Amino acid sequence: MTTVQDAGKLTTFEDNDQKPVGHGRMLRKEDPRFVRGRGRYTDDVQLPGMLHLAILRSPFAHAKIVSIDTSAAAALPKVKAVVTGADLAAQGLAWMPTLSNDVQAVLATDKVRFQGQEVAFVVAEDRYAARDALELIDVEYEVLDPVIDVRKALAPEAPVIRDDLDGKTNNHCFDWETGDKAATEAVFAAADVVVSQDIVYPRVHPAPMETCGAVADFDPVEGKLKLWSTTQAPHAHRTLYAIVAGIPEHKIQVISPDIGGGFGNKVPIYPGYVCAIVASIVTGKPVKWMEDRSENLISTGFARDYIMRGEIAATRDGKILGIRTDVLADHGAFNGTAAPVKYPAGFFGVFTGSYDIEAAYCSMTAVYTNKAPGGVAYACSFRITEAVYLVERIVDCLAAELGMDPAELRLKNFIKPEQFPYTTKTGWVYDSGDYEPTMRLAMDMAGYADLRKEQAEKRERGELMGIGIAFFTEAVGAGPRKDMDILGLGMADGCELRVHPTGKAVVRLSVQSQGQGHETTFAQIVAEEIGIPPADIDVVHGDTDNTPFGLGTYGSRSTPVSGAAAALVARKVRDKARLIASAMLEVSVADLEWEKGAFQVKGDPGKSVTIQDIAMRAHGAGDLPEGVEGGLEAQICYNPSNLTYPHGAYICVVDIDPGTAVVKVRRFIAVDDCGNRINPMIIEGQVHGGLTDGVGMALMEMISFDEDGNCLGASLMDYLIPTALEVPDWETGFTVTPSPHHPIGAKGVGESATVGSPPAIVNAVVDALAPFGIRHADMPLTPSRVWDAMRGAPQPPI
Amino acid sequence: MQVSMTVNDVEVTEEIEGRTLLVHFLRDHLGLTGTHWGCDTSNCGTCVVWMDGEPVKSCTVLAAMAGGHAVRTVEGLAKGAELDPVQEGFIQCHGLQCGFCTPGMMMTARALLDRNPDPTDTEIREAISGQICRCTGYATIVRSVRWASVKEASVKQASVKQASVEEASEEVTA
């Protein structure tokens, strides 16, 4: 039976109505439609005469296209068009720019460069017929040697993948470095202790439950393209389509409806979207493209794939002096990495983590391989997953070397609260942080000392229990326009607020929710500032005709950038409301004070006007103050002055079955500090989801390839994602260190748990395996890989 | 071929190809788009509906096989304006984010509670283990199902109390 205590706890969830206006736990405005099956996702869109598009994909990782015969496919009843790369090349559309200023083939013309690459497409009356026709396209390939092992990609004998690029004679993509090399070398030369460890962050995939897709509807009379698509950045996509397809931007409407999860997978423009647009233009009908799961895993943006050597220098008593790393980055066949232009390695520069050190240096080489493009995705905050994994693993390696408790080592080296804003040795300016209380809270929640005692006892009995700690500093909210742009578009976000005559309001965002609850939290942000209940505020997003321009939702940037815009636009409206209130109350502006939802005369609270009264007056009859226009609305474009740097302390407890090497995550304690909290319920959900990502990456997930370049993780039969049985009941806590530069002191948080949890889990597994004398084992720590580690031979994944 | 079945208590008859999957029949032919399609290997469970009260993955059932059977989808879960306690539980306990797995999760949860009104957390986790959620980390889904279970138990208790009050008042009147 459910206990009375349990039941009592559950009923507290119904307290929603008693909440004050604004920030706080509030049930989601999105939920009523989703629980009734009335969400509207891309594949739900049905238009009159709509056709279906299916894509033929390469079976080979690397092969010349000798010929393509589409005649049998085109002859199939119900088939309306079959299009190849040659057809697109005739229109100048066979290649498109990527988010990293590289180019990517829309449909292969010369050769295929990864298994699953787009070769041709069919448009037919239904999705089954389109698939039938794919079987009838006859492509003759001349198979080439593929480049699969990134460690061999730069060997002189390696086949050249990108011979489409002028004069390209190798697979080198780019070099990048950060920090001070000479200073770091000096610190390392003088250090008591230097620990070096090779660490691989394997290729994984965000795998949102809804795959990518689009419905393109080109109206030849108006010359207008309407595109429903699974995009996290509808405005940026619109601009890129205008550039690629030559359709004027005001004639393109991108609609991002409900999205079944994004996790960074839905930031890039994929060939399928472009194919759907071309197909609609060619056929004069709406065309739907919806990829299946295998296509999603094999061809859309992967994540990670960093081969890192981490080095840490310290004194014998545990003062960390320097961190150095050398990275080999596998970018696949096209550099499609979604990152600000000046940051080809994203924000990997924050690899110095939460520690006050003397010097740091990173050098990186990125290469092409015969694999799908991507890299930045899966809640990585632009490569911070990799940065945090590196530093938190190498700090644990140092703790092992010194024989120090890993918690103690971290506490000893934290950046102190009085050091903020803190400039790291690689140039990042952390806004605020108070790390020790966050760490102590997590240790208290975990009962850290008791856990260590339990572990010691278990070790005596030969049982394998591990405790892993990760303490991370995130960097989210890209970003300041002087430094950050995506293909020339500054990383700002717009927000527009209109208050209707009856005091209801609509707020329009440039960011795009994929489940993060923006329709609820942005109503709360505006409500907090202007006193209109969140239920009376409609949040509109994902329609480029009807929302202000901005860069979209990824990198946990919604709250830092768009959230700031929402607060400031509400303040702008409130400032205007103050002028109108002064006229209504016949007092000067200086005599008014704001009490959430109303202006009242100082010293005479009985004399007041509500925001609703003011809205009616703004739209109604009667004079307004000199210089005040009618209506009650404002618009803003917010350029952040800095990123926000949320932090967190995670502790993971694992048990490993010594007979089967199966790792069980028994407990996971996550304390997050994202500054001021808009909706604690939603934050908790974001954290839970990210922690589950961590379990997946640390223990289960990997996209690997055989030596011929066949993708071995291309379905959910092989690409394993945690179910309810692989994850524990999460234990979450929080501290609050507001961001000083953010209008409401809020920091992003969506990706923190995905960033912070993998090192905690791996640290726990390695800790459990200490009796076997290993210092490191690479993800994913599947039973077979842990078994190898227990035998002292953990192999890096390929 | 022609196929007939009841979907959410409504008799439907459609002309389909024999190979049509039930998930596409529901979505494309009937416009019931609450049921989703998240994989191609029968792992994810976003397509779970009921066939004669049993949860099935509708991507792994031919529409023709559902002929003559009673199918229920998420659109048939609420009774008019009144949400099923499972739907209410998911809202109250934040058991959903992007909402894509939600219809399938709720159909499984409802079927679980119909058989076992007071499941343990482990039983709930086992029941939904054929379904993947990428957003919630499952804990709030477990809470949501428990919320529904507690709510139903309290409603039942209240109606038993109400019945005994009525009985008693009848006795007094008599």
Side-chain angles (χ1 to χ4, degrees), chain B residues 88-104:
Chain B
E88 226 183 311
F90 271 70
I91 295 176
Q92 292 291 338
C93 301
H94 191 31
L96 68 151
Q97 291 180 31
C98 82
F100 203 77
C101 77
T102 312

Side-chain angles (χ1 to χ4, degrees), chain B residues 54-76:
Chain B
E54 279 297 319
V56 296
K57 289 177 173 174
S58 62
C59 74
T60 314
V61 176
L62 293 171
M65 292 161 68
H69 294 277
V71 171
R72 185 164 294 274
T73 70
V74 64
E75 288 90 347

Side-chain angles (χ1 to χ4, degrees), chain B residues 24-163:
Chain B
H24 290 136
F25 177 75
L26 294 169
R27 292 179 48 81
D28 295 349
H29 292 253
L30 304 184
L32 294 170
T33 55
T35 303
H36 295 141
W37 192 46
C39 76
D40 43 18
T41 47
S42 197
N43 297 88
C44 82
T46 59
C47 64
V48 168
V49 300
W50 296 352
M51 214 161 89
D52 300 333
E54 279 297 319
V56 296
K57 289 177 173 174
S58 62
C59 74
T60 314
V61 176
L62 293 171
M65 292 161 68
H69 294 277
V71 171
R72 185 164 294 274
T73 70
V74 64
E75 288 90 347
L77 203 49
K79 291 175 190 67
E82 194 194 334
L83 291 179
D84 186 275
V86 167
Q87 292 172 305
E88 226 183 311
F90 271 70
I91 295 176
Q92 292 291 338
C93 301
H94 191 31
L96 68 151
Q97 291 180 31
C98 82
F100 203 77
C101 77
T102 312
M105 286 287 182
M106 292 190 309
M107 294 309 286
T108 296
R110 182 67 266 163
L112 169 70
L113 294 180
D114 286 347
R115 286 159 184 69
N116 178 0
D118 185 24
T120 63
D121 284 4
T122 306
E123 286 168 336
I124 296 170
R125 285 181 182 272
E126 281 168 359
I128 61 169
S129 65
Q131 285 160 282
I132 296 172
C133 168
R134 295 296 277 148
C135 298
T136 65
Y138 302 104
T140 55
I141 293 180
V142 175
R143 284 183 213 165
S144 303
V145 179
R146 223 168 59 214
W147 189 97
S149 154
V150 172
K151 160 121 184 196
E152 282 175 341
S154 69
V155 167
K156 207 182 277 174
Q157 217 170 13
S159 68
V160 169
K161 251 189 214 160
Q162 185 60 35

Side-chain angles (χ1 to χ4, degrees), chain A residues 412-452:
Chain A
K412 191 181 172 84
N413 286 283
F414 279 153
I415 301 162
K416 304 283 180 293
E418 61 274 15
Q419 289 177 280
F420 292 89
Y422 176 86
T423 304
T424 73
K425 291 295 178 282
T426 50
W428 298 79
V429 183
Y430 294 181
D431 58 347
S432 64
D434 193 355
Y435 295 164
E436 184 171 341
T438 310
M439 186 71 168
R440 297 275 181 209
L441 177 58
M443 291 169 76
D444 287 351
M445 284 171 65
Y448 186 71
D450 290 344
L451 282 175
R452 286 289 177 203

Side-chain angles (χ1 to χ4, degrees), chain A residues 1-2 6-7 9-11 13-15 25 27-28 30-32 34-39 41 43-44 46 52 78 126-129 131-132 205-211 259-261 263 288 290-295 378 514-516 681-682 684-686 688-690 692-693 701 714-717 719 721-725 727-730, chain B residues 17 19-25 27-29 31-46 74-75 77-78 80-83 86-88 90-103 106 118-119 121-122 124-126 128-140 142-143 146-147 149-151 153:
Chain A
M1 278 300 292
T2 308
D6 270 346
K9 196 171 146 201
L10 290 167
T11 55
F13 292 135
E14 287 175 329
D15 292 347
R25 186 180 198 278
L27 298 185
R28 298 201 324 162
E30 295 90 333
D31 289 356
F34 289 146
V35 300
R36 288 174 179 274
R38 292 178 67 95
Y41 302 90
D43 197 24
D44 302 344
Q46 293 276 11
H52 293 261
K78 292 188 176 178
D126 64 61
R127 60 178 103 211
Y128 285 52
R131 293 284 172 132
D132 286 345
H205 195 283
M209 286 322 299
E210 179 205 31
T211 58
I259 297 183
F263 315 109
K288 177 185 281 182
M290 205 70 218
E291 68 186 8
D292 63 30
R293 172 60 54 197
S294 301
E295 296 180 284
Y378 207 171
Q514 317 117 45
Q516 300 94 327
M681 175 190 84
I682 284 178
E684 186 195 35
Q686 293 285 291
H688 285 186
T692 306
D693 292 346
E701 300 172 22
S715 86
L716 293 188
M717 301 294 279
Y719 191 73
I721 294 169
T723 72
L725 295 178
V727 295
D729 216 349
W730 311 106
Chain B
E17 289 184 60
R19 61 177 171 169
T20 307
L21 297 174
L22 180 57
V23 62
H24 290 136
F25 177 75
R27 292 179 48 81
D28 295 349
H29 292 253
L32 294 170
T33 55
T35 303
H36 295 141
W37 192 46
C39 76
D40 43 18
T41 47
S42 197
N43 297 88
C44 82
T46 59
V74 64
E75 288 90 347
L77 203 49
E82 194 194 334
L83 291 179
V86 167
Q87 292 172 305
E88 226 183 311
F90 271 70
I91 295 176
Q92 292 291 338
C93 301
H94 191 31
L96 68 151
Q97 291 180 31
C98 82
F100 203 77
C101 77
T102 312
M106 292 190 309
D118 185 24
D121 284 4
T122 306
I124 296 170
R125 285 181 182 272
E126 281 168 359
I128 61 169
S129 65
Q131 285 160 282
I132 296 172
C133 168
R134 295 296 277 148
C135 298
T136 65
Y138 302 104
T140 55
V142 175
R143 284 183 213 165
R146 223 168 59 214
W147 189 97
S149 154
V150 172
K151 160 121 184 196

